[in-house]
């Protein structure tokens, strides 16, 4: 049995990178709602995805937003590091 991608599709504010990977691998049109529902353990083509997101586009937008939010947090953490330009470099 082939392994399926793992998704965390609990609430609209928590789509993880795997959702973006699903879209990246298959393209927007290739990532059908039925396939996404099946991959996250929902019954395909029963409309369960729409209890979390108003559309497939909204799911993709939420996944992108979540990825950008995570990147912004990491960037802020890096900015808070006190490193000299030569930190860790032996000359």
């Amino acid at each position: 049995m082939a392994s399926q991608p793992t998704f965390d599709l609990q609430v609209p504010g928590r789509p993880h990178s795997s959702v973006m990977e699903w879209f990246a691998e298959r393209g927007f049109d290739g990532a059908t709602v039925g396939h996404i529902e099946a991959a996250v353990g929902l019954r395909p083509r029963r409309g369960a995805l729409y209890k979390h997101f108003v559309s497939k586009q909204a799911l993709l937008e939420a996944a992108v937003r979540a990825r950008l939010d995570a990147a912004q947090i990491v960037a802020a953490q890096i900015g808070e590091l006190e490193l000299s330009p030569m930190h860790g470099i032996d000359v």
Side-chain angles (χ1 to χ4, degrees):
M1 182 170 152
S3 65
Q4 293 184 348
T6 302
F7 293 82
D8 183 353
L9 186 63
Q10 300 299 316
V11 294
R14 295 194 56 201
H16 288 271
S17 62
S18 55
V19 172
M20 286 185 51
E21 291 166 6
W22 184 264
F23 281 110
E25 290 173 4
R26 290 156 182 82
F28 184 80
D29 292 331
T32 67
V33 170
H35 290 140
I36 294 168
E37 288 172 330
V40 300
L42 301 173
R43 292 181 67 193
R45 293 175 289 286
R46 301 279 196 268
L49 182 81
Y50 298 112
K51 293 179 182 177
H52 300 278
F53 299 94
V54 298
S55 66
K56 183 170 70 166
Q57 179 72 33
L59 169 62
L60 177 58
E61 289 173 6
V64 170
R65 235 183 341 271
R67 177 65 66 91
L68 292 174
D69 289 347
Q72 187 175 21
I73 291 168
V74 170
Q77 291 171 337
I78 290 171
E80 293 172 2
L81 295 176
E82 294 182 22
L83 301 175
S84 68
M86 301 298 287
H87 179 77
I89 299 174
D90 293 326
V91 185

